[in-house]
Amino acid sequence: MIPPSVNYVTCAMLKIRRIPIDTLGENVVYLSDLCQVYRVDAFKGGNKVEVGASGRQVIAVINVVHGNHLLEPDEVGLCTDAFEELGLSEGTQVVLNPTLSPASMDYVRNKVYGQTLTRAQLLEIVTDIAGHRYSRMEITAFLMACAAFMTTEEVLDLTLAMAEVGSRLDWKQEIVVDKHCIGGLPGNRTSMIVVPIVAAHGLPIPKTSSRAITSPAGTADTMEVLANVDVPIDRMIDMVAEIKGCLAWGGHVNLSPADDILISVERPLAIDTPEQMVASILSKKIAAGSTHMVIDMPVGPTAKVRSHHQAVKLRKLFEFVGHEVGLNLDVVITDGTQPIGNGIGPVLEARDVMAVLRGEDSAPADLRDRALLLAGHVLEFDTSLHGGEGFNRARELLESGAALRTMERIMDYQGPPPEAYALGELCHAVTAPASGVVTAIDCYRIARIARAAGAPVFKGAGLDLHRKVGDPVERDEPLYTLYSVIESDAANALAMVEADNAYAIQAI
Amino acid sequence: MIPPSVNYVTCAMLKIRRIPIDTLGENVVYLSDLCQVYRVDAFKGGNKVEVGASGRQVIAVINVVHGNHLLEPDEVGLCTDAFEELGLSEGTQVVLNPTLSPASMDYVRNKVYGQTLTRAQLLEIVTDIAGHRYSRMEITAFLMACAAFMTTEEVLDLTLAMAEVGSRLDWKQEIVVDKHCIGGLPGNRTSMIVVPIVAAHGLPIPKTSSRAITSPAGTADTMEVLANVDVPIDRMIDMVAEIKGCLAWGGHVNLSPADDILISVERPLAIDTPEQMVASILSKKIAAGSTHMVIDMPVGPTAKVRSHHQAVKLRKLFEFVGHEVGLNLDVVITDGTQPIGNGIGPVLEARDVMAVLRGEDSAPADLRDRALLLAGHVLEFDTSLHGGEGFNRARELLESGAALRTMERIMDYQGPPPEAYALGELCHAVTAPASGVVTAIDCYRIARIARAAGAPVFKGAGLDLHRKVGDPVERDEPLYTLYSVIESDAANALAMVEADNAYAIQAI
């Protein structure tokens, strides 16, 4: 009745093959439905698989390839990201193991059911996320559980965990200042003015910035119009020793890699909580070695923070976590009711920045004033400066040309831009449909129009504002000019303008 | 200063191409990075795209293909699911439109932030999910928001919404009974005994079942060993008129399609809430036209419901929603401490079922008793039957052979199975490492071992239990036999058994 045992083979190998597909974030492996050694049905439950050999593994979800057009039955295909992460050459023999969720998903489930998480649990979750062991669904589950509720202690612990996982910079300086805007205000390119002012004063301000993800320009995109921003870390350290400042792209430094992954999921979901914002910004600043930081928090009906009440609550959360992690914060609540400066898009914003630094008549006053306000707050971190003198000192450094000379040294040090970027040649004036006074400009809509026009993919794309809130305008006078490099962008932007040009005009 | 306007092309077309990749659930379109008319960067924010022409559209996420190995620059590739859903032939010219989240995602965000949802909002969400307009991340966000908290009113409204979206069956009968097990207990194949008993009595019981997703066998998988289960709806209606019962696969009927999609996300996340379970089961039963239903709710330390307290709470939620939607429910809390019957896997379970129906000596008593208990509860729905007589009537129908004859009529009516399934030829006895008494069998582990052995992909795979809880066993005597069809499955199951054979044995 009980049959005897038999012996079995225990290991089935497949050859890896790079599949030239960029899955935009999630590791995917491709398995043929003709595969003889693994049953693709075994993976249909949606579980992930660990692929690898000789101590190197990568975790991925499975896609099944029909027939042998893309893949031989004895091959396993890896999307470009997974192939790179695995780091083995094509044809290497690998083993597939169905893999369950990382153990830390149990904590996520507990959080979903209403428990709070400990520092150690958050560290384990963040470590697994940074190690690409969470699927996008699992990351979503974590983010949603956190969005439902998070204690201030949890925000602190998440911040520390995110800072701990990844690289950390040490500038060997007592004070390292920084300035960060929480975002959402087109044209608010103050960093490129604040950094040279503060560096000219002598405070170390090693500014690393991101490229735009959902906005028409990031500081890195705009700075790249003027100089190389691809600066290795050792060169940044030299710059800070010599000039006190830099304006570099932060992509090399791998600060808070978990945060980059979390953001890649938050973005398409458009879930943006104060808790995640605080943990995201402060973890990156801790890792970047900052000791003092000014946070620019624009408040306005179409900005990221929409009410003063919300702004104060967010400021308190920043201050609590900042205090606990030993980061000296000054949160400045600013006007976020309309775009800052005139240009929106890298080339146009770089033009505005240089006009302010050069003291040209065409320099947008609002951009200049905002930069001086924030630089003044940063300079107040200098204990040797008389309290309340920050703003005057900032103005002095700007008006004397010291800031401009520092900016030129930064540009020299970082080297020339990768190419000469010019304004897009396809342009179109958007005019007022009626006479009156501009009563509002929708920041969110302006950003979307500028992106549709091609910014920041094309640095010369974007839009140039000719009227701001309070300005009178006659019918058919231009409100702004659209710039594009390719025609489909121009058409998309125009279609968007026709639906809603982002301006509210009231008859006088 | 303000340049004149120019004109632009407004519409860019690509030819569709079927890419033979099954992405296991999420619509993906493939775009070449050499594409001249769309900039792939525009999609890097993670937003979805709507692809289509002439009134037919499909929503998908973008993958970027490098070079022109898989795709020409003027083509857009569609994964098999998306291609089928779109229903246009290869080479058709289509337009791509970046698309934002469906408007109902605003409700999901509100729910994340703590609001409750109205019936209309839940209906809009469920409609969008069933229409494939939610990404897996968005579905996860919805599920997590619901897992955090749900009012009983929301559970009711979700149930109604899920029942409303999709097909609905109408049997034109006053009483249509059903029997459903909430799952998690290997070998608990009582439906195949309850249906013939109840049908033999004369109550209409049109049973549609699913195939196994995470378990080693579903009722549809097991019934398919004995008969065809691929039964069109009109034939099911004829069967119910004639024989009163059927045992068919429910895949044709498209009842609560949103539920199928929600489950495909819940499964890999292993998030299983009472609220989703109630909405899932009851929405399908409403859509299936049931009026009366017995729910088998096994409780045990390794079953789905792990405590009596939890079971009572879940029962009350079932009863509340059932009452509100006009479904007459009888929730039976049963013993879920160990597997039911001896065989685990389609062929072995079918053997046990037929042994019970035929009254053979080898028939597992626990399977027979459980089936009679549940059939008795179902028969109590018959108002003409004396209260408390259900169990006796069920036993009478089983012992007289009436149930067996009805089962044979059902098998005849549904037709022969697609092929003759035999027990796997690779077998291995798993023996007791020491003498003693079996004190526990881990249901969850047994199910995983049976799946590793190949069930239900191979109907002949699985395991056959020779000892149950309370049985004495001598060292080296067999606890169970593993059956596999292919060697890698056998090896995997054995490796799993070596780590933990699921049996607890205590020395006497």
Side-chain angles (χ1 to χ4, degrees), chain B residues 304-323:
Chain B
K304 226 174 212 174
V305 177
R306 304 206 160 186
S307 74
H308 190 74
H309 171 76
Q310 226 184 324
V312 170
K313 225 178 121 181
L314 181 57
R315 192 187 71 195
K316 282 179 188 291
L317 190 58
F318 267 115
E319 287 168 349
F320 167 78
V321 177
H323 179 261

Side-chain angles (χ1 to χ4, degrees), chain A residues 288-300:
Chain A
S290 305
T291 62
H292 295 67
M293 175 164 62
V294 168
I295 294 177
D296 176 12
M297 190 187 290
V299 180

Side-chain angles (χ1 to χ4, degrees), chain A residues 203-232:
Chain A
L203 277 182
I205 183 163
K207 179 84 189 145
T208 55
S209 312
S210 55
R211 296 188 188 279
I213 300 173
T214 56
S215 71
T219 295
D221 301 306
T222 305
M223 184 66 189
E224 200 169 35
V225 173
L226 306 173
N228 167 51
V229 293
D230 195 347
V231 186

Side-chain angles (χ1 to χ4, degrees), chain B residues 226-227 235 243 406-416:
Chain B
L226 305 174
R235 192 141 173 89
I243 323 181
T406 302
M407 181 62 157
E408 285 165 348
R409 287 182 70 194
I410 291 173
M411 286 160 54
D412 276 355
Y413 212 113
Q414 294 188 186

Side-chain angles (χ1 to χ4, degrees), chain A residues 2-5 8-9 20 22-23 39 45 64 66 70 109 112 137 140 147 267 269 427-429 457 466 489-491 494, chain B residues 2-5 8-9 20 22 39 45 63-64 66 70 109 112 137 140 147 267 269-270 427-429 457-458 466 489-491:
Chain A
I2 311 296
S5 301
Y8 310 106
V9 280
D22 178 356
T23 52
R39 289 179 295 107
V64 176
H66 298 295
L70 305 179
R109 278 183 280 266
V112 169
M137 283 190 287
T140 305
R267 202 188 319 123
L269 286 174
C427 52
H428 184 99
V457 177
H466 308 305
D489 286 346
L494 272 178
Chain B
I2 312 294
S5 301
Y8 310 102
V9 280
D22 177 357
R39 289 178 296 104
N63 278 195
V64 177
H66 298 295
L70 305 180
R109 277 183 280 268
V112 169
M137 285 191 287
T140 305
R267 202 188 319 122
L269 286 174
C427 52
H428 184 100
V457 177
F458 295 107
H466 308 303
D489 286 346

